[in-house]
Amino acid sequence: MDATAVLINLARRPQEAAEMLRGKLEPELLNAHPHHDNSIAWLLWHAAREIDVQLAALTGSESVWIAEGYAEKFGLDVEPGDLGYGHTPEQARAIVVRDGDLLIDHLSAVVEAQVAFIASLSETDLARIVDEHWDPVVTLGVRLVSISADALEHVAQATYVAGMGAQAFEAR
């Protein structure tokens, strides 16, 4: 197995985990807060957005959020490059989504774009330095691992929160 095959396998894992939530995400659960500012809706939205924004930066292409019309489909009051990183409690709580399938569809579209990009890469491409602000510097391969790992962590958090009982959530 080569490195790109491993990266593709890793990239698909957040999508596969999110698919297990399909049909279980009623609006009330999606937007409930487990005594924390990040709802399931925020976690899934952020997982997709962090892949999308970083992938667009790596490829120089337009984000899936814009190119495939997800900004309009979601109708959120966020900037085109907003991925949720550094959100204030008020900003995180403003991410309200009524359609769980839309969140999963967006994540799937972003992952498919990521997989297509990875499939186009060679071993040499993966060694290219993409960020010199870290010690050690960050290669494209390491960045792709980081992107997928972060998304997988947030989808896992959403899955965990979805399994909590009603007592875990703030009173509405």
Side-chain angles (χ1 to χ4, degrees), residues 131-155:
D131 192 342
E132 296 182 355
H133 295 98
W134 298 95
D135 184 19
V137 295
V138 178
T139 63
L140 178 57
V142 168
R143 178 59 48 86
L144 290 168
V145 168
S146 174
I147 290 168
S148 294
D150 187 59
L152 188 55
E153 289 173 8
H154 285 89
V155 172

Side-chain angles (χ1 to χ4, degrees), residues 21-22 51 64 79 83-84 90 119 142 149 151 153 159 167 170-171:
L21 292 171
R22 195 176 291 276
I51 296 170
V64 170
E79 295 295 318
L83 55 86
E90 295 78 22
V142 168
E153 289 173 8
T159 301
Q167 70 279 4
E170 295 173 0

Side-chain angles (χ1 to χ4, degrees), residues 106-124:
H106 178 230
L107 179 63
S108 293
V110 170
V111 167
E112 290 307 319
Q114 181 185 16
V115 166
F117 174 63
I118 294 169
S120 76
L121 300 174
S122 69
E123 295 279 333
T124 303

Side-chain angles (χ1 to χ4, degrees), residues 48-141:
R49 292 297 297 137
E50 69 87 11
I51 296 170
D52 199 14
V53 169
Q54 293 184 78
L55 186 62
L58 291 172
T59 64
S61 60
E62 193 168 46
S63 68
V64 170
W65 181 252
I66 300 299
E68 296 189 21
Y70 283 98
E72 290 81 26
K73 292 174 188 175
F74 277 85
L76 299 172
D77 185 22
V78 296
E79 295 295 318
D82 190 348
L83 55 86
Y85 182 75
H87 266 186
T88 65
E90 295 78 22
Q91 289 171 309
R93 287 174 179 267
I95 302 298
V96 176
V97 180
R98 311 253 349 127
D99 184 351
D101 286 342
L102 179 60
L103 286 158
I104 295 168
D105 292 346
H106 178 230
L107 179 63
S108 293
V110 170
V111 167
E112 290 307 319
Q114 181 185 16
V115 166
F117 174 63
I118 294 169
S120 76
L121 300 174
S122 69
E123 295 279 333
T124 303
D125 293 327
L126 296 174
R128 180 171 50 93
I129 296 170
V130 296
D131 192 342
E132 296 182 355
H133 295 98
W134 298 95
D135 184 19
V137 295
V138 178
T139 63
L140 178 57

